[in-house]
Amino acid sequence: AQSVTQLDSQVPVFEEAPVELRCNYSSSVSVYLFWYVQYPNQGLQLLLKYLSGSTLVESINGFEAEFNKSQTSFHLRKPSVHISDTAEYFCAVSEVANSGYALNFGKGTSLLVTP
Amino acid sequence: GAGVSQSPSNKVTEKGKDVELRCDPISGHTALYWYRQSLGQGLEFLIYFQGNSAPDKSGLPSDRFSAERTGGSVSTLTIQRTQQEDSAVYLCASSLATVRTDTQYFGPGTRLTVL
């Protein structure tokens, strides 16, 4: 079974600075990868996902993530963050060979953007 | 259109009591998932439904937990004889089909506190 590791539980960053939220997974088979975001007092929302094709995927609000098969990583990046990006970010994996369809989530990274 | 809704939003109960949590998925979504979000444990999968059947119950933590779905729509998660360790936010998600690439849309959750 796959597991997901989000290496940083908290990431403080100043507004307009770049940020990288790290995600590694352990699986020897094909996977689909997701990043979800949870804004304060709101539900989880899909930010972006990698299914196949180009290893670089982008969201509408400037985030991007790159699937790196050799390093089993799917790090999330943004070149310039806003105060409104403050939220909890979850990386998730769905293993193609798994009989179930549940997402396996990391423990989350809390991004705190300050002026 | 309307998203996934859950009720109640908050539930406080005494140890040993039974509770029922409700999820209304997005209309037309055939797949429905229950997850639990607790401090220190992150997001844990509990059970998913394909239509009214539950092919994967592997995440249910004990036989005190059960879930059903009727009419391919509303689902109820029941916890019998609640324990303090059951305190968590219970999240419901739905997707258009039971396809791994489909986005899971999450509800706002039910915060359960067991005293």
Side-chain angles (χ1 to χ4, degrees):
Chain A
Q2 77 273 27
S3 68
V4 181
T5 302
Q6 291 185 244
L7 296 166
D8 305 298
S9 60
Q10 292 184 331
V11 173
V13 64
F14 290 112
E15 191 176 18
E16 297 183 2
V19 69
E20 178 180 79
L21 307 182
R22 295 179 291 171
C23 173
N24 287 89
Y25 65 93
S26 62
S27 175
S28 59
V29 298
S30 296
V31 295
Y32 298 128
L33 296 156
F34 306 79
W35 275 100
Y36 278 82
V37 58
Q38 187 174 31
Y39 296 105
N41 301 313
Q42 294 187 29
L44 282 159
Q45 304 171 33
L46 179 70
L47 189 59
L48 47 76
K49 61 182 176 182
Y50 169 77
L51 304 179
S52 66
S54 173
T55 57
L56 185 66
V57 289
E58 298 176 350
S59 71
I60 59 173
N61 59 353
F63 281 94
E64 64 179 30
E66 186 163 17
F67 169 55
N68 188 318
K69 187 175 182 179
S70 63
Q71 297 186 7
T72 61
S73 69
F74 190 55
H75 300 333
L76 182 69
R77 302 183 182 95
K78 189 170 184 179
S80 176
V81 294
H82 302 290
I83 299 287
S84 59
D85 293 324
T86 294
E88 189 86 13
Y89 291 80
F90 294 92
C91 181
V93 170
S94 180
E95 189 173 276
V96 173
N98 197 348
S99 60
Y101 293 85
L103 292 171
N104 190 4
F105 285 89
K107 292 190 182 295
T109 297
S110 179
L111 176 64
L112 178 61
V113 183
T114 54
Chain B
V4 177
S5 61
Q6 293 185 245
S7 60
S9 55
N10 280 285
K11 176 71 176 179
V12 179
T13 190
E14 293 179 349
K15 177 182 174 181
K17 295 286 182 67
D18 298 351
V19 295
E20 283 190 354
L21 312 179
R22 177 188 169 105
C23 171
D24 282 89
I26 294 172
S27 178
H29 280 196
T30 60
L32 186 148
Y33 309 79
W34 283 99
Y35 294 86
R36 178 168 72 173
Q37 184 177 22
S38 54
L39 287 175
Q41 296 297 321
L43 277 150
E44 305 170 273
F45 165 74
L46 298 178
I47 186 171
Y48 89 92
F49 289 89
Q50 183 175 328
N52 290 335
S53 65
D56 188 356
K57 303 179 182 180
S58 62
L60 294 177
S62 77
D63 58 7
R64 295 185 295 104
F65 286 72
S66 63
E68 65 175 12
R69 188 180 185 193
T70 55
S73 180
V74 172
S75 176
T76 302
L77 177 69
T78 301
I79 309 173
Q80 296 179 309
R81 305 181 302 282
T82 52
Q83 303 295 314
Q84 289 183 334
E85 61 262 28
D86 299 335
S87 295
V89 177
Y90 289 82
L91 296 170
C92 175
S94 70
S95 63
L96 190 58
T98 320
V99 176
R100 206 174 301 282
T101 55
D102 270 1
T103 296
Q104 293 185 22
Y105 294 88
F106 284 78
T110 293
R111 181 176 297 279
L112 175 66
T113 303
V114 182
L115 301 177

